[in-house]
Amino acid sequence: MERKLEALLEDHPFLINFPKRYLSLMAGCAKNVRFATGRFLHREGEPSDAFFLLRRGRVAIEIHVPNRSPLTVQTLEAGDMLGWSWLTPPHRWRFDARAVEDVTAFALDGACLRGKCEADHELGYQLSKRVLACVAQRLDATRLQLLDLYGLQP
Amino acid sequence: MASSLDSRAFVPAQPMLPRPFRVLENRKENHDTFSLRLGCADGPKPFDFSPGQFNMLYLPGVGEAAISISALAPRPGCVLHTVRAVGALTKALKTLKAGDALGLRGPFGNGWPLEEAEDGDAVFVAGGIGLAPLRPALQRVLERRRRYKRVILLYGARSPAEIIYSRELRRWRQSGAVEAHVTVDRCAGDWKGRVGVVTNLLEGMYFQSGKSTAFVCGHEIMMRFSAAELERRGVAAERIHVCLERNMKCAVGFCGHCQFGPEFICRDGPVFHYPRVRGRLAVRAL
């Protein structure tokens, strides 16, 4: 079962070309999860004890606003990685994540992975490089969003 | 391959003389954007243009502005412009009703070189009102759908309420002829689509270099980032075309307002091969 999971993990864009020797370690901390439309993958303030590699569906990253509908700041799709709060203290989710379509994903146990990364810094480095690439890409996108490009004159 | 006539630029017989036109319909697209369907005031006459060209719309006593032609003619003699009300002239255009008169010079500029995309993928990237100058190009490609492989539209809007041509987008998507992807910058409520910048729509897409051609229109910043992402995804720089709209005033390269290095955007553009302008777009003072 774990070997099958390892093979599936290897195909996920987040882990493409990830060192093979670490894939079984990752698989040991991973499980398949499903979320029906409308269900939350996580909510703001809850302990962040996992991250997700999305395989199918769409997830909205939301922030709740008193007395009005939540604001969606970004959506993530199949192939995306969701969540890095598990990596940095205080290990709590900063936003809500809600399935806007039925979602299937790999959930990776953050506490388990943090322990393995502490024990093997090469694993920590390989994983952090990939998380950082996601963070950088989303920061770039957020900066463009802040510019309100479509509201400006060309 | 198509003949070179496909991307020829049509030119008016008397470029400085506005011709009288009448508003046939003024349709609201969103809170500040509207589409004017215009017809020649002295009866239906053919209005030839190439997708990507623009007209100068003139209101006596108010002024004149360059506005892209935003659809293939729904009927012979009609010309359609989608306009965002942001300045004195465009706000005045927004108040026009069917039967009102205005002046029109054009068409001017070059067009999208759609024949370059034949036998390969055609990728359209639009931001906000930037979908308007791309729409006739997309319509032309769909008229000749068999000449192209994948036809992809990536469109970013500010919010779901500001998406323009939503009925046509739905029709394109349902027809299966276009892979149409839409994203918005922000939303609340029951929007089920994507949220994020338009470049995010390119994630997971890879194109065959030399076989894919991209047509990009929107704010210059958005075009810079889109071009960089398209290159990263395999589209060769020389197959990326962008539409510039800086300071066009006379439309014929006389006044110099739109001079961009050695070129005039109104006369030599507004569509440019990206490598031709990339360096100049990076010049901060230009």
Side-chain angles (χ1 to χ4, degrees), chain A residues 128-140:
Chain A
S128 299
K129 265 203 305 189
R130 281 154 201 269
V131 173
L132 185 60
C134 283
V135 174
Q137 188 265 331
R138 289 191 203 157
L139 180 60
D140 284 349

Side-chain angles (χ1 to χ4, degrees), chain A residues 1 3 7 19 29 32 37 42 70 72 89 92 97 99 127 132 134 148 151:
Chain A
M1 186 65 183
R3 285 185 70 86
C29 297
N32 278 302
T37 303
H42 59 71
T72 303
R92 289 192 177 273
L127 202 51
L132 185 60
C134 283
D148 192 19

Side-chain angles (χ1 to χ4, degrees), chain B residues 189-225:
Chain B
D190 57 358
W191 170 252
K192 299 278 190 295
R194 295 183 69 158
V195 179
V197 290
V198 69
T199 48
N200 285 359
L201 296 176
L202 283 162
E203 273 174 39
M205 290 190 184
Y206 293 95
F207 301 99
Q208 210 180 338
S209 186
K211 291 275 183 189
S212 304
T213 309
F215 307 97
V216 187
C217 190
H219 193 279
E220 275 186 20
I221 300 171
M222 169 249 158
M223 292 198 287
R224 275 198 336 248
F225 278 84

Side-chain angles (χ1 to χ4, degrees), chain A:
Chain A
M1 186 65 183
E2 209 165 276
R3 285 185 70 86
K4 193 180 167 199
L5 198 57
E6 188 180 321
L8 290 170
L9 279 173
E10 191 178 11
D11 288 339
H12 194 277
F14 180 76
L15 292 173
I16 292 286
N17 298 325
F18 199 70
K20 282 199 183 303
R21 64 185 185 281
Y22 291 131
L23 279 170
S24 59
L25 276 175
M26 297 283 286
C29 297
K31 63 179 179 187
N32 278 302
V33 289
R34 286 171 190 273
F35 297 90
T37 303
R39 294 283 306 276
F40 285 88
L41 284 76
H42 59 71
R43 303 197 81 153
E44 182 186 343
E46 289 176 351
S48 171
D49 49 11
F51 75 99
F52 300 92
L53 302 180
L54 305 182
R55 301 176 66 197
R56 197 171 302 146
R58 177 173 297 155
V59 176
I61 309 296
E62 297 177 338
I63 185 155
H64 70 83
V65 190
N67 298 320
R68 55 177 290 188
S69 310
L71 290 173
T72 303
V73 292
Q74 187 182 30
T75 52
L76 300 174
E77 314 279 318
D80 285 332
M81 187 274 279
L82 163 63
W84 49 74
S85 301
W86 64 277
L87 198 55
T88 55
H91 309 302
R92 289 192 177 273
W93 294 112
R94 304 294 182 91
F95 295 92
D96 295 341
R98 184 174 55 88
V100 287
E101 292 172 3
D102 290 352
V103 166
T104 58
F106 300 117
L108 288 107
D109 183 326
C112 162
L113 270 179
R114 280 200 303 270
K116 287 179 178 176
C117 290
E118 285 296 342
D120 184 340
H121 287 183
E122 176 61 16
L123 169 64
Y125 174 66
Q126 291 294 340
L127 202 51
S128 299
K129 265 203 305 189
R130 281 154 201 269
V131 173
L132 185 60
C134 283
V135 174
Q137 188 265 331
R138 289 191 203 157
L139 180 60
D140 284 349
T142 305
R143 284 171 172 163
L144 287 179
Q145 260 172 294
L146 284 173
L147 288 175
D148 192 19
L149 289 179
Y150 314 130
L152 298 173
Q153 279 291 85

Side-chain angles (χ1 to χ4, degrees), chain B residues 83-199:
Chain B
V83 187
R84 193 163 151 244
V86 286
L89 179 86
T90 49
K91 283 177 180 166
L93 289 173
K94 192 180 178 201
T95 66
L96 295 181
K97 296 179 180 63
D100 287 346
L102 75 162
L104 183 150
R105 293 193 292 127
F108 295 109
N110 58 4
W112 299 103
L114 298 174
E115 66 280 1
E116 276 189 28
E118 291 185 8
D119 302 319
D121 298 335
V123 186
F124 296 86
V125 186
I129 190 78
L131 182 57
L134 281 172
R135 183 165 71 152
L138 198 45
Q139 290 171 332
R140 177 59 50 81
V141 163
L142 292 178
E143 280 181 351
R144 303 164 175 181
R145 184 63 186 85
R146 287 186 180 185
R147 297 185 188 180
Y148 303 88
K149 290 183 177 161
R150 293 171 75 193
V151 177
I152 300 167
L153 169 65
L154 310 175
Y155 171 46
R158 206 185 206 177
S159 70
E162 296 186 47
I163 291 170
I164 57 172
Y165 311 142
S166 40
R167 269 186 292 183
E168 199 164 10
L169 283 168
R170 200 163 35 244
R171 203 165 56 239
W172 285 339
R173 195 180 280 155
Q174 284 168 353
S175 74
V178 183
E179 296 172 38
H181 303 277
V182 180
T183 186
V184 297
D185 265 0
R186 57 189 67 99
C187 77
D190 57 358
W191 170 252
K192 299 278 190 295
R194 295 183 69 158
V195 179
V197 290
V198 69
T199 48

